[in-house]
Amino acid sequence: MTENGEDSPLHQQNPANGDSAVNSRTLKTSLVDAKSSKEHKDALKVNARNAEGEFSPYQPRPPPQPRLSSKSVSVEETLRTRRLKNSQESLSDPVETGSSSDSLKEDLTALAQGGFVFREAATTRNDQESNVRPLSAAASGSPVSRDRGSSLSDHGGRPRSQQSDPTDLRARPSKVLLSPVQPTGKLPALEKGFASATLKAANRIDGDCLDYAVSAKEKPSDRLHRNLSDSRLLENMGSDSASVHSMRSNYSVLSPIRPQDVRNRSFLEGSVLGSGALLGAEELDRHFPDRKVGIYIATWNMQGEKGLPTNLDDLLLPTDSEFAQDFYIIGVQEGCPDRREWEVRLQETLGPYYVMLYAAAHGVLYLTVFVRRDLIWFCSEVEHATVTTRIISQIKTKGAVGIAFTFFGTSFLFITSHFTSGDSKVYERVLDYNKIIEALALPKGLPDTNPYRSTSSDVTTRFDQVFWFGDFNFRLSKPRAEVEAIIKRTAGGDMGPLLEHDQLSKEMKEGSIFKGFQEAPIHFLPTYKFNVGCDVYDTTSKQRTPSFTDRIVFRSRQADDIRAFKYTCCSGIKTSDHRPVIGVFQVKLRPGRDNIPLGAGQFDRGLYLEGIRRRITRELKRREAMKSESTSTICTIS
């Protein structure tokens, strides 16, 4: 009892032997005089009497039970109150060592024994309900509980003057407060930068990904920041340098995007300014630091044969090329009857790295455009137009088909054509050319990137880069015997003596055809006309003169925007009387604006899947054949 007459709020009281009879007996007390020494002595006697079984001699007597409310408290409500308080204590106590599930188990154990032990009793004027506490860990033989028991017994055995004020016990935590574990040694200092040794493992990349890193040998001014974000974009992100540096990690080569950019930016109906556009300078420099794109062009007169070559690798992927190109443009004259089969074969050859951006046809003239799959997002909508050069428009064996689109800010026009045949019909071929440039209606919806240098009478002046290829049918103005004699004398690929008699070269010099166009130097033999399946020129009764009928010419608005790296014929494909002609070019690009209608990444998905399926089937058959050869029972002598 305290001096003010209130009951002493002792913390815990646990029975030593767990006598259920004593635990179930309810204790009712009333307020008594705290200064009565007689009652205090009687209380000490009770403690001594309960030492043998009822209560532990080392524990003070239990506090009196508080007066309960008029409403009966059920077991379920008590447990619900206990769970709520325990969860609140767990959240507020930073050194909580137990869990709420463990406390719940103690509650159920105490209920099964049919009794409660009250943790603290605080009688107030409003007769509030006291919190119910299950049996604590003091009953177990843990060292912590033993220490707590001894401390309580010492407190009761000390003189009254030396005992601390019981009210101070209210401020003590109900749980055991464990002292924090001190480190045995000095902890290493963490560097402030994101390149510290402790964080290098998070930003580590494979050693073979050399294209992600910038070469240390390069000068700072010459470095190509392929994997770094745009500097202007990072500067506008704010003053948090840590966030900026974290964006410059090696996790991705893509530029970071701010939420405000996502809210405001629209590429289809956005700013017409070049800065910040999807086709603008930032994106262009990130994908093409040199602002140059590789274009592969192939033209072939197939002679209308139904049978296709078993392998088109020599046509599209020659072994003397170190790298594949970004665009593959294939023009065919007198194509095979099954155009879809031809396109599937092209997709099968190029594989999963490329998708067919667009394909157009004019009778037996086929024009197909393949692009690298990751560059399709920078292509505009694709348009095409056709022109027939026959007197009867329904006959589509001669004429032209053109495909136009914009890549970043550079507009392209690709034309494949088949001019009038015949050794002496030069004038008719010039008429075919003039009709095509006047009647080819392009562009339709695409904006003219330089309208001040465009003319309505020539379609080739409306685009930045123009490639025209096909079977032009221009011949060598010499008898066959003399041409064959010149071929025999030709050494080292010098075709100058033959080109002196070339009709196309003569007309281009005079300016009557292909005005403003150029052609790369020719270092290959005439591509027409061969016997099918061999390298022998025409041995039929007509004895046609070998000629350079299959050509690739180009023009650009700006000088030196197109550079030819290869211009040759494909001698490995012999299914036609023509040899395919291929050319590899490097074309300069310019940034674009947001007023260009984007193609939204559209391509022929069905063709893509069919081509890849055939490619996989072919590879499985090849592996199966190699496996059967390795398990052959034929013995070999080494």
Side-chain angles (χ1 to χ4, degrees), residues 494-512:
D494 183 14
M495 298 298 161
L498 284 176
L499 293 175
E500 291 178 359
H501 310 284
D502 179 53
Q503 296 174 352
L504 179 59
S505 300
K506 180 181 178 182
E507 295 297 327
M508 289 182 66
K509 289 180 181 178
E510 294 178 355
S512 60

Side-chain angles (χ1 to χ4, degrees), residues 303 423 475 480 484 526-532 534-547 576-579:
Q303 200 185 8
D423 292 345
R475 312 298 175 90
R480 173 167 177 165
E484 288 181 344
T527 58
Y528 175 84
K529 171 181 182 178
F530 289 91
N531 292 335
V532 177
C534 61
D535 293 328
V536 179
Y537 287 104
D538 186 22
T539 58
T540 62
S541 58
K542 294 185 178 181
Q543 293 287 310
R544 290 185 174 87
T545 302
S547 301
S576 171
D577 57 351
H578 289 254
R579 292 291 183 265

Side-chain angles (χ1 to χ4, degrees), residues 81-101:
T81 304
R82 176 67 189 96
R83 292 192 192 101
L84 178 60
K85 178 173 181 57
N86 187 67
S87 62
Q88 295 175 351
E89 290 177 355
S90 300
L91 293 175
S92 60
D93 194 354
V95 293
E96 182 69 47
T97 58
S99 62
S100 59
S101 59

